[in-house]
Amino acid sequence: MDYIALSRISLKHLTVLHVLLSTHSVTSAANVLCVTPSSVSKTLSQLRSQLNDELFYRDSGQLVPTPFALSIAVEIHKILSSMNGILHQGEFHPQQFEGTISLSMRESTFELFAAKIAAISGQLANARSINIFAKEQLSFDALNRGQVDFMILPHDISQPPTRSRDLVWQQIAADEMICLMSADHPLADRPLSIDGYLAYQHIGILDKDLSEPYFEQNLTQQHGSRKIAVSVADFGAAAVLCHHTDYLLTCSKMWAENALQAQSLVSKPLPFEYGKVAYSLVWNQASLNDPALSWLHSQLISIE
């Protein structure tokens, strides 16, 4: 072990780098750390010298991390999480927490769990900030790097979650899949058959991270492929489109029963085998070294 090299880099250096990877701004990082921008710039300059890499370059007013900076982000998150756990040992008191927590999820997922998140927010009344990011904005890579603490998402249980060994998945709510259509759809007043399901065009849901779901694979193999007319990022946008077209939407039953956008749409059971689906909580196992995140984890897995 190179003790001399290690002695030249402090937790301050690693903390600045970690925050810069999240904010992409010297000024924003300074605000988070309650220091001056010149102090952040000085620390970054020292890091560049010690690590022999530029770490960030400027593009359109933002700091863009280099490949090397991204490659070490996961390990830096582990180091800081472990040290944070050492510094904040003992019982956690939510009302005294003054840090920041971040979650990532689709907008439709937030609709289902908003009440629980609001209750958590109330207990963390003194928190510096509670950030809810869109999954499209910060996803699995952000979990690995510590930019977000937890993610909640619906998925096909048969889908391989991710290849990252650092991410842990835990089911927090079982679900079903259904087909939604407008009230004046030609299929609205009759049982949904496989022929009817495939005869009409569909609305797809975009997700660049998850593999093709089991229901799509099984449907194609057993009966044929759906005709996707348009793909959108979320169930909410898809349901709005359903109100104005004869398109069909295959989605979460839990969401459809609670979402305002799905009101007055007709729900039908799917006419084929689609496997099992659920909502899961995903986190980086290093995060639970932090007593605040360990407490937050206990709150999120008890979502009802």
mmCIF file of all heavy atoms in Angstrom, residues 148-164:
data_model
loop_
_atom_site.group_PDB
_atom_site.id
_atom_site.type_symbol
_atom_site.label_atom_id
_atom_site.label_comp_id
_atom_site.label_asym_id
_atom_site.label_seq_id
_atom_site.Cartn_x
_atom_site.Cartn_y
_atom_site.Cartn_z
ATOM 1 N N VAL A 148 -28.014 9.132 -6.582
ATOM 2 C CA VAL A 148 -29.313 8.930 -5.957
ATOM 3 C C VAL A 148 -29.177 7.789 -4.960
ATOM 4 O O VAL A 148 -28.336 6.905 -5.115
ATOM 5 C CB VAL A 148 -30.434 8.629 -6.983
ATOM 6 C CG1 VAL A 148 -30.746 9.838 -7.829
ATOM 7 C CG2 VAL A 148 -30.084 7.425 -7.847
ATOM 8 N N ASP A 149 -30.033 7.801 -3.932
ATOM 9 C CA ASP A 149 -29.926 6.823 -2.860
ATOM 10 C C ASP A 149 -30.774 5.584 -3.110
ATOM 11 O O ASP A 149 -30.353 4.462 -2.801
ATOM 12 C CB ASP A 149 -30.336 7.477 -1.534
ATOM 13 C CG ASP A 149 -29.474 8.684 -1.207
ATOM 14 O OD1 ASP A 149 -28.240 8.569 -1.330
ATOM 15 O OD2 ASP A 149 -30.030 9.746 -0.858
ATOM 16 N N PHE A 150 -31.977 5.781 -3.643
ATOM 17 C CA PHE A 150 -32.876 4.659 -3.898
ATOM 18 C C PHE A 150 -33.666 4.913 -5.178
ATOM 19 O O PHE A 150 -33.906 6.059 -5.557
ATOM 20 C CB PHE A 150 -33.879 4.471 -2.747
ATOM 21 C CG PHE A 150 -33.240 4.075 -1.442
ATOM 22 C CD1 PHE A 150 -32.946 5.029 -0.488
ATOM 23 C CD2 PHE A 150 -32.938 2.745 -1.171
ATOM 24 C CE1 PHE A 150 -32.355 4.680 0.717
ATOM 25 C CE2 PHE A 150 -32.342 2.382 0.028
ATOM 26 C CZ PHE A 150 -32.052 3.351 0.976
ATOM 27 N N MET A 151 -34.073 3.813 -5.808
ATOM 28 C CA MET A 151 -34.950 3.891 -6.966
ATOM 29 C C MET A 151 -36.144 2.964 -6.728
ATOM 30 O O MET A 151 -35.995 1.879 -6.156
ATOM 31 C CB MET A 151 -34.212 3.465 -8.240
ATOM 32 C CG MET A 151 -35.057 3.524 -9.503
ATOM 33 S SD MET A 151 -34.202 2.786 -10.928
ATOM 34 C CE MET A 151 -32.786 3.883 -11.024
ATOM 35 N N ILE A 152 -37.329 3.399 -7.149
ATOM 36 C CA ILE A 152 -38.516 2.547 -7.118
ATOM 37 C C ILE A 152 -39.015 2.422 -8.545
ATOM 38 O O ILE A 152 -39.180 3.434 -9.232
ATOM 39 C CB ILE A 152 -39.630 3.149 -6.230
ATOM 40 C CG1 ILE A 152 -39.116 3.418 -4.812
ATOM 41 C CG2 ILE A 152 -40.830 2.208 -6.175
ATOM 42 C CD1 ILE A 152 -40.124 4.130 -3.923
ATOM 43 N N LEU A 153 -39.237 1.186 -8.997
ATOM 44 C CA LEU A 153 -39.710 1.036 -10.375
ATOM 45 C C LEU A 153 -40.528 -0.231 -10.543
ATOM 46 O O LEU A 153 -40.323 -1.224 -9.846
ATOM 47 C CB LEU A 153 -38.544 1.046 -11.358
ATOM 48 C CG LEU A 153 -37.702 -0.212 -11.523
ATOM 49 C CD1 LEU A 153 -36.898 -0.128 -12.818
ATOM 50 C CD2 LEU A 153 -36.765 -0.404 -10.354
ATOM 51 N N PRO A 154 -41.497 -0.179 -11.481
ATOM 52 C CA PRO A 154 -42.237 -1.389 -11.840
ATOM 53 C C PRO A 154 -41.425 -2.183 -12.853
ATOM 54 O O PRO A 154 -40.723 -1.615 -13.686
ATOM 55 C CB PRO A 154 -43.516 -0.827 -12.485
ATOM 56 C CG PRO A 154 -43.072 0.468 -13.091
ATOM 57 C CD PRO A 154 -41.983 1.003 -12.204
ATOM 58 N N HIS A 155 -41.520 -3.509 -12.767
ATOM 59 C CA HIS A 155 -40.762 -4.311 -13.729
ATOM 60 C C HIS A 155 -41.284 -5.743 -13.760
ATOM 61 O O HIS A 155 -41.974 -6.209 -12.849
ATOM 62 C CB HIS A 155 -39.270 -4.301 -13.383
ATOM 63 C CG HIS A 155 -38.943 -5.007 -12.097
ATOM 64 N ND1 HIS A 155 -38.380 -6.260 -12.050
ATOM 65 C CD2 HIS A 155 -39.125 -4.634 -10.814
ATOM 66 C CE1 HIS A 155 -38.221 -6.623 -10.793
ATOM 67 N NE2 HIS A 155 -38.658 -5.656 -10.022
ATOM 68 N N ASP A 156 -40.944 -6.416 -14.823
ATOM 69 C CA ASP A 156 -41.197 -7.838 -14.971
ATOM 70 C C ASP A 156 -40.194 -8.575 -14.087
ATOM 71 O O ASP A 156 -38.990 -8.385 -14.213
ATOM 72 C CB ASP A 156 -41.004 -8.185 -16.456
ATOM 73 C CG ASP A 156 -41.291 -9.635 -16.765
ATOM 74 O OD1 ASP A 156 -41.150 -10.472 -15.867
ATOM 75 O OD2 ASP A 156 -41.640 -9.921 -17.918
ATOM 76 N N ILE A 157 -40.677 -9.414 -13.184
ATOM 77 C CA ILE A 157 -39.787 -10.090 -12.240
ATOM 78 C C ILE A 157 -38.778 -10.980 -12.964
ATOM 79 O O ILE A 157 -37.670 -11.200 -12.478
ATOM 80 C CB ILE A 157 -40.609 -10.894 -11.210
ATOM 81 C CG1 ILE A 157 -41.372 -9.931 -10.298
ATOM 82 C CG2 ILE A 157 -39.726 -11.813 -10.375
ATOM 83 C CD1 ILE A 157 -42.233 -10.591 -9.276
ATOM 84 N N SER A 158 -39.153 -11.475 -14.133
ATOM 85 C CA SER A 158 -38.240 -12.351 -14.871
ATOM 86 C C SER A 158 -37.109 -11.579 -15.549
ATOM 87 O O SER A 158 -36.157 -12.175 -16.037
ATOM 88 C CB SER A 158 -39.011 -13.137 -15.939
ATOM 89 O OG SER A 158 -39.491 -12.270 -16.951
ATOM 90 N N GLN A 159 -37.212 -10.243 -15.611
ATOM 91 C CA GLN A 159 -36.163 -9.458 -16.250
ATOM 92 C C GLN A 159 -34.891 -9.470 -15.412
ATOM 93 O O GLN A 159 -34.954 -9.261 -14.199
ATOM 94 C CB GLN A 159 -36.605 -7.994 -16.422
ATOM 95 C CG GLN A 159 -37.607 -7.767 -17.531
ATOM 96 C CD GLN A 159 -38.091 -6.326 -17.522
ATOM 97 O OE1 GLN A 159 -38.381 -5.787 -16.463
ATOM 98 N NE2 GLN A 159 -38.163 -5.723 -18.676
ATOM 99 N N PRO A 160 -33.749 -9.701 -16.035
ATOM 100 C CA PRO A 160 -32.497 -9.521 -15.276
ATOM 101 C C PRO A 160 -32.395 -8.055 -14.876
ATOM 102 O O PRO A 160 -32.429 -7.181 -15.738
ATOM 103 C CB PRO A 160 -31.416 -9.886 -16.296
ATOM 104 C CG PRO A 160 -32.128 -10.660 -17.371
ATOM 105 C CD PRO A 160 -33.521 -10.114 -17.404
ATOM 106 N N PRO A 161 -32.351 -7.746 -13.573
ATOM 107 C CA PRO A 161 -32.368 -6.342 -13.147
ATOM 108 C C PRO A 161 -31.249 -5.522 -13.770
ATOM 109 O O PRO A 161 -31.466 -4.732 -14.669
ATOM 110 C CB PRO A 161 -32.225 -6.439 -11.627
ATOM 111 C CG PRO A 161 -32.655 -7.818 -11.273
ATOM 112 C CD PRO A 161 -32.257 -8.670 -12.444
ATOM 113 N N THR A 162 -30.041 -5.724 -13.303
ATOM 114 C CA THR A 162 -28.858 -5.098 -13.898
ATOM 115 C C THR A 162 -27.706 -6.056 -13.658
ATOM 116 O O THR A 162 -27.806 -6.988 -12.869
ATOM 117 C CB THR A 162 -28.509 -3.746 -13.242
ATOM 118 O OG1 THR A 162 -28.112 -4.001 -11.890
ATOM 119 C CG2 THR A 162 -29.669 -2.783 -13.271
ATOM 120 N N ARG A 163 -26.611 -5.812 -14.305
ATOM 121 C CA ARG A 163 -25.448 -6.672 -14.117
ATOM 122 C C ARG A 163 -24.571 -6.211 -12.963
ATOM 123 O O ARG A 163 -23.580 -6.849 -12.644
ATOM 124 C CB ARG A 163 -24.631 -6.720 -15.407
ATOM 125 C CG ARG A 163 -25.378 -7.384 -16.564
ATOM 126 C CD ARG A 163 -24.534 -7.417 -17.821
ATOM 127 N NE ARG A 163 -25.255 -8.047 -18.923
ATOM 128 C CZ ARG A 163 -24.782 -8.179 -20.151
ATOM 129 N NH1 ARG A 163 -23.559 -7.714 -20.436
ATOM 130 N NH2 ARG A 163 -25.501 -8.768 -21.092
ATOM 131 N N SER A 164 -24.910 -5.115 -12.337
ATOM 132 C CA SER A 164 -24.102 -4.586 -11.244
ATOM 133 C C SER A 164 -24.293 -5.417 -9.983
ATOM 134 O O SER A 164 -25.418 -5.603 -9.508
ATOM 135 C CB SER A 164 -24.475 -3.132 -10.964
ATOM 136 O OG SER A 164 -23.818 -2.675 -9.802
#
